[in-house]
Amino acid sequence: MTKQIAILGSTGSIGKNALRVIDSLGPEYKIAALSAHSSVELLAEQARKCKPEFVAITNSDCAGQLRELLDDLDIEILAGPDGLIKIAELQQVDIVLTAVVGAAGLHSVLAASSKGKRLAIANKEPLVIAGELLKKETKENGSVIIPVDSEHSAVFQAMQSGRKEQVNKIILTASGGPFRQATAEDIQNVTLEQALAHPVWDMGPKITIDSATMMNKAFEIIEARWLFDIPVEKIEVLIHPESIIHSIVEFVDGSMIAQLGEPDMCLPIQYALTYPERVAGIAKTLRLEDIGTLNFEKPDLQTFRALTLGYEVARTGGTAPVVFNAANEAAVEEFLAGRIKFVNIVEIIENCLNRHSVKPTICLEDVLEADAWARREVTELAYSV
Ligand code: NDP
Ligand code: MG
């Protein structure tokens, strides 16, 4: 039976890889809807190629140009953030691949789960800030979440070797980013260009900076906590510069089950779409003899304070992860715009967390309120660094 897919964020790094994967999977997988924020020309080009029924452009100012570009095609164009929700809820859609960046994807992820869709989740920020709400929504509506994030895809695959109660720990691997061997002193004056030069993965700018600060790994601890319903105490981070082992699950008998592959997002994207099936794909296969050696080291918690904060925030819960994420999004924006230094990102996040009074249990309104509060705080904090 044909599977209809909506890609939320088709013009980004994950979105573009997803289109290549779907193209290679053949006619069984059909694209029903695409979305972008403001990359009008690329979205129009993708729509011309895939002929979806719907395209959503979340930045309404770009809708006119998109309409002109797609004038000759029978495609419905939806403008503004509500368009993203609409395509996530489409009745004919079976799988929603969430590849929007940031908390901006929250409403559409919740919408897709409320309609019982399969969620192939790349967009990790909604899980970080509203993991509990999202899990509740999926449970109530028969929606299934399959992780796309490479570490969580690895854990998801390894988990099939045992039961949740038999898990000793989850070991999330991390490349260590561009500053893996740097000291706290070294990172004082790194440039934007250095921070954007990830040694292994080719990703969008926001997650690339998150990898350099290791905020990305901090988010992944919280992401794993919700995806696998495992206490934070059982989640460890291990630096593995080659990024060949994508993560490991250790079971009570001492068996460690790992998933290996080339660092290529096409593989976890494909698995999230075809699960429980496995089919030949476009991801390069791994030749261990070419790799030779795999290295592992403990993370440097002195240089990468983000990791320590991540554990604290994960344990605190409530609105703490919301502030953690929103402060990061706003601080990364400031850094990308050249207004603050690299080291200021995590300093600002920590300041913001210190100023926040955590609400222990949260509803959607609390999430939105804490998110907006943190972004305002960062604007103020960024002026004073
Ligand atoms: P990109 O920045 O490359 O792409 C982001 C996508 O989201 C684009 O389609 C963009 O549209 C769209 N977008 C941006 N802002 C908004 C908004 N306000 N509302 C709606 N859509 C918006 O990001 P990545 O593909 O790198 O990452 C996407 C998500 O996947 C992130 O959450 C990231 O953490 C996660 N992830 C990514 C990995 C990777 O390898 N890239 C690996 C694991 C997880 P436009 O082009 O118009 O700006
Ligand atoms: Mg990852």
Side-chain angles (χ1 to χ4, degrees):
M1 240 181 56
T2 311
K3 299 240 168 49
Q4 302 242 22
I5 305 169
I7 306 182
L8 314 186
S10 61
T11 51
S13 163
I14 293 282
K16 286 188 271 185
N17 275 322
L19 285 171
R20 288 176 50 228
V21 168
I22 295 165
D23 192 35
S24 76
L25 288 174
E28 204 187 318
Y29 292 84
K30 193 184 167 312
I31 290 169
L34 298 173
S35 94
H37 187 58
S38 48
S39 301
V40 184
E41 282 169 13
L42 179 56
L43 181 62
E45 194 187 303
Q46 292 175 341
R48 207 161 269 287
K49 182 157 185 259
C50 316
K51 308 225 166 23
E53 286 171 74
F54 295 86
V55 294
I57 183 95
T58 41
N59 179 350
S60 310
D61 295 345
C62 301
Q65 196 192 344
L66 186 64
R67 288 206 170 90
E68 269 172 37
L69 288 170
L70 296 177
D71 193 34
D72 57 324
L73 297 178
D74 185 18
I75 297 178
E76 190 166 332
I77 296 167
L78 305 163
D82 285 351
L84 201 60
I85 297 175
K86 270 207 180 118
I87 63 168
E89 290 182 336
L90 286 172
Q91 211 227 328
Q92 62 271 44
V93 165
D94 305 292
I95 306 173
V96 176
L97 175 73
T98 72
V100 163
V101 61
L106 175 64
H107 295 289
S108 53
V109 176
L110 288 170
S113 59
S114 76
K115 297 290 175 193
K117 308 292 185 195
R118 169 185 293 200
L119 290 173
I121 287 205
N123 182 201
K124 65 186 79 182
E125 295 86 350
L127 260 169
V128 170
I129 66 176
E132 197 168 2
L133 297 177
L134 184 58
K135 289 292 290 212
K136 190 164 165 271
E137 197 71 44
T138 51
K139 206 168 162 195
E140 283 174 5
N141 299 290
S143 171
V144 178
I145 300 182
I146 316 288
V148 169
D149 208 348
S150 58
E151 296 78 1
H152 304 76
S153 174
V155 172
F156 183 78
Q157 294 177 60
M159 282 291 202
Q160 291 162 39
S161 290
R163 291 197 304 276
K164 196 178 78 185
E165 316 80 74
Q166 299 167 333
V167 172
N168 235 6
K169 59 184 172 191
I170 288 176
I171 302 173
L172 298 175
T173 52
S175 71
F179 308 128
R180 176 172 61 87
Q181 286 165 316
T183 60
E185 176 80 33
D186 295 336
I187 62 165
Q188 285 302 317
N189 291 307
V190 298
T191 63
L192 176 59
E193 203 185 1
Q194 288 169 320
L196 281 172
H198 197 282
V200 187
W201 295 97
D202 180 13
M203 309 178 286
K206 190 257 179 189
I207 184 173
T208 304
I209 300 303
D210 291 349
S211 300
T213 54
M214 290 205 71
M215 279 298 284
N216 182 50
K217 212 47 60 178
F219 291 146
E220 289 183 354
I221 296 166
I222 305 172
E223 194 185 353
R225 186 252 168 280
W226 291 117
L227 282 173
F228 306 110
D229 194 18
I230 290 281
V232 183
E233 292 66 35
K234 289 190 172 188
I235 306 172
E236 285 182 7
V237 172
L238 180 68
I239 304 293
H240 166 44
E242 294 83 9
S243 296
I244 295 295
I245 295 186
H246 297 303
S247 278
I248 307 164
V249 176
E250 184 189 284
F251 289 94
V252 282
D253 58 0
S255 237
M256 287 179 134
I257 309 290
Q259 188 259 343
L260 284 72
E262 284 282 342
D264 180 349
M265 288 309 294
C266 289
L267 184 51
I269 291 170
Q270 174 172 310
Y271 187 70
L273 300 177
T274 65
Y275 171 83
E277 297 303 322
R278 287 187 184 271
V279 299
I282 53 170
K284 227 171 90 189
T285 49
L286 183 61
R287 286 169 56 89
L288 285 171
E289 64 273 36
D290 292 345
I291 309 285
T293 313
L294 297 178
N295 290 282
F296 305 96
E297 46 193 74
K298 276 190 149 178
D300 170 0
L301 299 177
Q302 291 278 304
T303 310
F304 297 104
R305 174 114 185 99
L307 277 181
T308 309
L309 291 177
Y311 275 110
E312 280 172 20
V313 161
R315 274 191 285 269
T316 308
T319 47
V322 184
V323 168
F324 191 51
N325 175 72
N328 178 63
E329 282 190 33
V332 169
E333 240 177 78
E334 297 286 334
F335 174 63
L336 289 172
R339 290 191 286 266
I340 61 170
K341 293 205 304 185
F342 179 76
V343 283
N344 297 145
I345 300 173
V346 178
E347 284 167 9
I348 286 177
I349 296 166
E350 187 164 9
N351 270 334
C352 206
L353 284 168
N354 289 339
R355 289 180 179 203
H356 180 61
S357 330
V358 177
K359 265 197 182 177
T361 52
I362 52 170
C363 59
L364 185 59
E365 287 67 39
D366 295 332
V367 172
L368 301 176
E369 198 185 305
D371 179 284
W373 175 85
R375 286 171 204 267
R376 285 195 303 273
E377 286 296 299
V378 171
T379 311
E380 198 182 297
L381 288 164
Y383 270 120
S384 54
V385 292

